[in-house]
Amino acid sequence: MRSATEIVDRISSTLNGVALTGAALAIIVMVASAGFQVIARYIFDAPPIWTEETARYAMVWAGLLGASAAFRMKQDPTLFPDMVKREGGRGLALALVRAAGVFIFVAPILYYSFFGRGMNIAKGFLARTLGREAEMLGVPMVFFTAAIPIAFAFIVIHVIADVLTRLSRISAAGE
Amino acid sequence: ADTVKVALDSPPDLEQSGSYVWANTFVKYLNEHGMEAEEYQRGALGGDDELLDQVSQGLVEVAMAPVKSAGGLDSLIFGLYLPYFFTDMAQVDTALYDGGMLAKINEGTTPKGVRVLAVDSVGVGTGIFNTKHPVNTMADLGDLRMRALDETQIDLFESWGSTGTVVSWAEVPNALQTGVADGYLNPPFVPLMFGHTDFIKHFTDANISQSVRIVIASEDWYEGLTDEERKTVDDAVKAADKANRDWLSGRSGILGKLREAGVEVVELSDEARDEFIKASEAVYKKGQLTAEQIDAWVKAKTK
Amino acid sequence: MIWVAPVVAVVMLLSGLALAYVIGAASVLAFFATENSRYLAILPQQIFSKIDVFALMAMPLFILAGEIMNRAGVTRALIDLSMALVGRLRGGLGHVNILTSVFFAGISGSAVADAAALSNTLVPAMEERGYTKTYAGAITAASAIIGPIVPPSIILIFYGALMETSVSALFIAGIVPGLVLAAALFALNAWFAWKQDHPRAAKGETPALLRTFLVSLPAICLPLIIVGGIVLGWMTPTEAAAVAVVAALAAGQFYTGLTVEGIIESLKRTATLTGSIFMILTAVAALGHLAALERVPEAISAMVADLGLGPLEYMIAMNAVFILAGMVLDIPVALALLVPLMAPVALAQGVDPVHLGIVICFNLCIGLVSPPLGGCLLVVSAVSKVNYWALARAVLPFVVVEIGVLALLVAVPEISLALPRAMGLVGGG
Ligand code: NA
Ligand code: NA
């Protein structure tokens, strides 16, 4: 039990490191392409057309990866932040309520990313965007839309890790 | 059956909006002929991408949409955008119906769940607006930097000896005001509708392309109709098309409205137009269409 | 069955679940309760469309510029400059506090960041000179909200993205209302200073004007570059934000306060702050779609028409709703929830979208300094260790004055519109 918990928590914290690094890199890409746009406009008098789209999709990645990190690091605005700090049995119950809320929200997003109506994979969000091209960059949209299921999958793992960690803390206190 | 949801792409204004004339006629016809239909305000069910997505999945039955909504699924429809290709809306209709292009377009889009029901006009042909000086010939464009939608338009401007810069629509007033861009291509009603006539001072009635949008329908929904219902829908499309073209013929007064708003209007001479046409043909190959696709459009419009 | 959604929402709120997830989960349940569950099939696309927005791009970049600035040590330089300019007046440090907020507003887009930076340094300094800690905290919180009204502004970028309104025009329109707010706060501080006999700095105690001016030059040039670049049409707001990041890095070198760790930390903070806002947009994408399917916006317009509200009456009613929302909700949540529902009616009544943006931004900022959930109050109370409720009481006169300025702004749209109109960024009157 304890070792399983440790593994899940290790995965969760590793994924969080990956998310933060990825988001930071994406923000650097944003600064670079928007900055390059200014330089290109005034020095070469020819604003390239790919910079805006590059910056926009970098923002999508940065924001979604950042959203998963904000979740793990408990930085999202909350009306009753003290409830998150509760420990023990009551803390676990509250954590389970929160986990249920997250699952209710995330389940349809993950499901419909992969499946269309009637469990049709070809009509799922990812498959649909595989067939659409980004206007300027000419690559399939799926390179950007994939950020949605990835970020929400990270969040699901963070939720599971949180609940398991609380459980193991309670059982450790009981021993 | 479910109520037919028709998503609008413009304010519900029967005088100014050709797209609304189409949608309103369509919805009225269905309701009068035993099929329940309802209009949804622009943006209510989402932007263009979300509407395309909902139509392709059968969640929204009919949506007024930009040409690129179908163009992203199959590029053939981009023939409607070829500069200096169609002389008027009647020629577009010839290509679509007599020349069979609408059926060909649907061969490409219906496997992806989207049927192009119709092509609707939103105003008289696109012309050249700018803030600086009258444009009588192609040479007059040399010192203007034009706002472009995409790379294809940048190519077009370059083939005219001008330059283009991509600016998003929300920043267009700022860009025109500050000289990031000096002008844009649009139908005459656009600066009036968006209040740009304070700084747009010149219009060239170049009739570059027909100002069109499209009507898309869910193929799942269309296929699932009974024969009788499908006939009602097809007749509603015919009625809406007619109302839309009638509306267009009453729109010639728009140039007078531009003049009233303080915009100087230039008509192109035949020689000047020929020069534009020649320069524009050079970019046909660079656009989204293959040579065969362009060929098909050429044949269809002369049917 | 629809009652399930709000009940579950309340339970999840009480469990400490973040607002975005509460809204998301309640929306998903409401889709089922209203027999609209099949529409959930396009939820991923709805989410993508809500965040893949050109106008949002300036937001993470301005957040980053502000984070770097805060770590680079520009705060000290700006306080010194304010000291040299207004420290010798009666109630000098109160004026210094407000003026520093005005300077800060030009580089930072967030009120909470301003409040944190200034309560660290100015509250202890004011206490030392004989001000009460609560008064020092109150004036810090109250003046921090100048930050998001004067450009750059995260709130205005967010509004611009929601309403497809020019961010450039919004930025220019915020300048005068921000300065009017500052003037009103100066007046109130002067009144308190006179009534409670606040101290002034002694001669020779304030730094030399010329020297502090030179030292703070990089910091005060930054807003000029940002605002000037946008006004003169050299840059789009996104490009200006990228330039601001580069300038902040350069200023960091100048003030020697910046480390590699600091930059990495800034990037991470930017990622999580942007992420929190994106999660709100994501959740509201679901709720907004449901509201459209159930025709809620049409119902609101019909209700307004039934009540016979004119433009001014509707603006007042709308402001009342936003003030209440601002008291309990985080600003991005309030914006994302309410703007798409309430703004279209105001626009239909002829209110200018740019003016409306400034009014809503100003309004929601007041929520940052009003209990029960005032973001700036929370930060100032946490940093300066003033009791939260004592602070809330002390800030009340400032809130009253701020509501007064808001009322003036509602009554006289030209306060926000004159400047962008002169630049041709909004239509004729
Ligand atoms: Na600001
Ligand atoms: Na302050």
Side-chain angles (χ1 to χ4, degrees):
Chain A
M1 177 69 209
R2 179 118 21 112
S3 69
T5 302
E6 274 164 16
I7 291 171
V8 174
D9 194 49
R10 179 119 21 103
I11 294 174
S12 160
S13 100
T14 307
L15 289 179
N16 191 47
V18 170
L20 275 175
T21 310
L25 289 175
I27 293 168
I28 292 171
V29 169
M30 283 188 77
V31 177
S33 41
F36 182 74
Q37 196 169 308
V38 184
I39 294 169
R41 177 172 295 152
Y42 290 100
I43 298 182
F44 312 119
D45 198 36
I49 50 158
W50 49 266
T51 50
E52 191 228 291
E53 204 171 55
T54 305
R56 215 172 68 225
Y57 291 133
M59 169 180 75
V60 168
W61 271 106
L64 286 168
L65 290 175
S68 79
F71 182 85
R72 157 104 193 173
M73 296 153 83
K74 302 190 170 56
Q75 287 182 359
D76 293 309
T78 308
L79 276 194
F80 302 100
D82 290 342
M83 294 297 165
V84 183
K85 293 178 198 137
R86 292 275 177 93
E87 282 294 332
R90 190 174 285 173
L92 179 65
L94 289 168
L96 285 171
V97 172
R98 291 196 298 272
V102 173
F103 279 123
I104 292 172
F105 178 38
V106 174
I109 297 172
L110 282 179
Y111 179 87
Y112 287 118
S113 288
F114 296 101
F115 299 102
R117 296 178 63 202
M119 289 196 70
N120 184 345
I121 292 193
K123 280 204 163 186
F125 176 59
L126 291 177
R128 297 198 305 275
T129 54
L130 184 65
R132 285 211 324 251
E133 274 193 358
E135 272 171 53
M136 312 285 174
L137 298 174
V139 295
M141 286 295 293
V142 74
F143 282 107
F144 314 113
T145 55
I148 289 179
I150 288 175
F152 281 96
F154 281 18
I155 288 170
V156 168
I157 292 166
H158 296 329
V159 172
I160 296 172
D162 180 47
V163 171
L164 286 180
T165 311
R166 282 169 189 279
L167 259 177
S168 78
R169 272 206 297 267
I170 290 175
S171 67
E175 271 163 23
Chain B
D2 262 353
T3 304
V4 179
K5 289 186 285 302
V6 178
L8 304 180
D9 62 350
S10 76
D13 184 340
L14 285 172
E15 236 173 79
Q16 301 299 325
S17 167
S19 144
Y20 185 65
V21 168
W22 197 102
N24 185 257
T25 312
F26 181 75
V27 166
K28 265 203 189 130
Y29 188 97
L30 290 185
N31 280 321
E32 282 163 8
H33 292 78
M35 285 179 80
E36 222 178 289
E38 224 178 329
E39 294 167 4
Y40 279 76
Q41 298 302 313
R42 170 174 59 162
L45 298 176
D48 294 336
D49 287 347
E50 291 133 290
L51 280 173
L52 174 64
D53 214 27
Q54 292 179 85
V55 167
S56 71
Q57 298 214 64
L59 293 169
V60 165
E61 287 77 16
V62 178
M64 312 304 292
V67 170
K68 70 165 194 235
S69 280
L73 304 175
D74 189 278
S75 59
L76 181 59
I77 198 166
F78 283 128
L80 291 171
Y81 275 170
L82 289 174
Y84 292 104
F85 190 78
F86 296 107
T87 50
D88 56 17
M89 214 42 211
Q91 201 181 28
V92 172
D93 285 337
T94 304
L96 290 174
Y97 296 104
D98 304 332
M101 289 309 283
L102 188 60
K104 279 212 183 85
I105 289 165
N106 277 322
E107 280 170 26
T109 61
T110 49
K112 290 167 181 163
V114 175
R115 168 170 292 271
V116 179
L117 273 187
V119 174
D120 58 308
S121 165
V122 294
V124 297
T126 304
I128 304 164
F129 285 97
N130 84 86
T131 57
K132 282 189 167 165
H133 54 67
V135 172
N136 289 299
T137 64
M138 216 162 73
D140 293 336
L141 280 170
D143 63 340
L144 297 181
R145 179 152 62 178
M146 303 293 291
R147 177 255 176 173
L149 279 168
D150 53 25
E151 193 167 14
T152 318
Q153 263 198 355
I154 287 188
D155 286 343
L156 182 64
F157 292 134
E158 281 171 3
S159 76
W160 291 353
S162 180
T163 48
T165 181
V166 175
V167 179
S168 79
W169 183 243
E171 296 301 335
V172 160
N174 187 19
L176 290 173
Q177 196 54 29
T178 53
V180 168
D182 304 313
Y184 55 49
L185 302 188
N186 258 317
F189 74 90
V190 168
L192 289 168
M193 181 182 269
F194 291 92
H196 294 175
T197 49
D198 287 345
F199 38 88
I200 288 266
K201 290 298 166 207
H202 305 278
F203 176 63
T204 303
D205 185 15
N207 194 26
I208 300 161
S209 60
Q210 302 309 303
S211 312
V212 291
R213 293 175 64 91
I214 57 174
V215 187
I216 54 175
S218 157
E219 179 67 359
D220 287 352
W221 165 75
Y222 189 80
E223 278 301 309
L225 295 173
T226 63
D227 289 348
E228 194 191 342
E229 284 170 333
R230 197 170 310 119
K231 178 165 184 327
T232 307
V233 169
D234 290 344
D235 289 345
V237 169
K238 281 191 194 117
D241 275 349
K242 180 171 184 315
N244 177 259
R245 305 311 189 253
D246 288 350
W247 168 87
L248 177 62
S249 64
R251 290 295 283 177
S252 47
I254 192 86
L255 294 185
K257 291 219 177 84
L258 271 182
R259 287 196 187 91
E260 272 169 38
V263 178
E264 194 186 328
V265 177
V266 170
E267 302 280 349
L268 274 189
S269 69
D270 288 343
E271 302 85 70
R273 180 181 304 277
D274 285 342
E275 197 187 4
F276 270 107
I277 294 174
K278 258 200 209 92
S280 305
E281 278 169 356
V283 296
Y284 284 7
K285 293 174 219 75
K286 281 191 177 175
Q288 296 110 319
L289 294 182
T290 64
E292 296 82 59
Q293 286 175 321
I294 293 175
D295 230 33
W297 279 105
V298 172
K299 281 194 192 111
K301 77 168 174 175
T302 50
K303 264 273 154 62
Chain C
M1 273 300 281
I2 184 69
W3 57 268
V4 172
V7 170
V8 173
V10 169
V11 171
M12 288 184 301
L13 262 185
L14 292 174
S15 79
L17 183 59
L19 272 166
Y21 295 86
V22 173
I23 295 170
S27 307
V28 169
L29 290 176
F31 267 91
F32 282 98
T34 55
E35 294 176 8
N36 280 311
S37 59
R38 62 206 165 104
Y39 290 98
L40 288 172
I42 61 146
L43 192 50
Q45 175 64 49
Q46 293 267 358
I47 292 170
F48 193 77
S49 299
K50 278 285 176 302
I51 57 184
D52 176 29
V53 174
F54 171 83
L56 279 179
M57 274 197 284
M59 185 172 68
L61 300 183
F62 275 128
I63 292 178
L64 179 61
E67 289 286 329
I68 293 175
M69 276 290 169
N70 276 339
R71 287 183 171 79
V74 292
T75 317
R76 189 72 253 163
L78 292 176
I79 293 174
D80 282 350
L81 179 63
S82 304
M83 267 304 262
L85 285 170
V86 294
R88 297 270 296 130
L89 300 171
R90 177 173 294 283
L93 274 177
H95 291 311
V96 167
N97 194 323
I98 300 166
L99 188 60
T100 309
S101 289
V102 174
F103 289 140
F104 228 89
I107 51 177
S108 154
S110 142
V112 176
D114 295 13
L118 295 198
S119 43
N120 244 332
T121 44
L122 270 175
V123 173
M126 285 178 77
E127 203 186 0
E128 224 168 83
R129 306 290 169 89
Y131 291 80
T132 67
K133 209 181 199 180
T134 36
Y135 184 80
I139 199 169
T140 303
S143 61
I145 73 168
I146 298 169
I149 298 167
V150 168
S153 163
I154 309 299
I155 301 176
L156 290 177
I157 294 170
F158 199 77
Y159 173 90
L162 286 172
M163 293 300 293
E164 295 177 12
T165 301
S166 162
V167 175
S168 307
L170 287 165
F171 274 13
I172 306 306
I175 295 175
V176 175
L179 296 179
V180 170
L181 171 60
L185 294 177
F186 276 127
L188 184 61
N189 179 59
W191 185 77
F192 273 120
W194 169 74
K195 202 167 150 256
Q196 299 173 351
D197 199 21
H198 288 169
R200 66 176 87 208
K203 211 174 189 162
E205 214 183 348
T206 55
L209 182 59
L210 186 65
R211 207 187 62 79
T212 51
F213 178 74
L214 289 176
V215 172
S216 59
L217 205 56
I220 52 175
C221 270
L222 198 56
L224 293 181
I225 294 171
I226 296 169
V227 177
I230 295 171
V231 173
L232 297 173
W234 296 341
M235 298 179 256
T236 66
T238 312
E239 292 166 359
V243 171
V245 171
V246 175
L249 287 169
Q253 291 306 311
F254 185 83
Y255 294 114
T256 68
L258 206 57
T259 58
V260 175
E261 290 77 43
I263 296 173
I264 292 174
E265 205 42 48
S266 303
L267 284 167
K268 287 183 177 173
R269 279 283 297 163
T270 304
T272 51
L273 278 172
T274 308
S276 285
I277 293 177
F278 272 30
M279 193 46 76
I280 292 163
L281 278 171
T282 297
V284 172
L287 189 61
H289 189 211
L290 186 67
L293 287 169
E294 293 293 311
R295 296 187 164 270
V296 175
E298 284 90 345
I300 292 179
S301 324
M303 196 175 76
V304 171
D306 282 350
L307 292 171
L309 296 184
L312 190 62
E313 286 129 342
Y314 181 72
M315 278 291 265
I316 292 168
M318 195 183 73
N319 271 291
V321 172
F322 272 97
I323 286 266
L324 290 175
M327 284 179 178
V328 290
L329 295 178
D330 208 47
I331 289 186
V333 180
L335 272 176
L337 272 180
L338 294 178
V339 163
L341 292 180
M342 303 201 69
V345 178
L347 298 189
Q349 289 182 327
V351 176
D352 187 279
V354 171
H355 173 62
L356 185 66
I358 303 299
V359 166
I360 290 175
C361 170
F362 199 112
N363 182 316
L364 289 175
C365 283
I366 294 176
L368 289 172
V369 286
S370 61
L373 194 79
C376 286
L377 292 183
L378 283 170
V379 166
V380 172
S381 143
V383 175
S384 62
K385 308 280 182 293
V386 184
N387 175 279
Y388 178 81
W389 293 103
L391 187 63
R393 204 161 33 217
V395 86
L396 209 62
F398 292 94
V399 174
V400 170
V401 164
E402 284 167 352
I403 291 177
V405 177
L406 173 65
L408 184 70
L409 185 60
V410 170
V412 190
E414 283 306 299
I415 295 174
S416 58
L417 290 180
L419 199 54
R421 177 168 296 136
M423 316 249 161
L425 295 176
V426 299

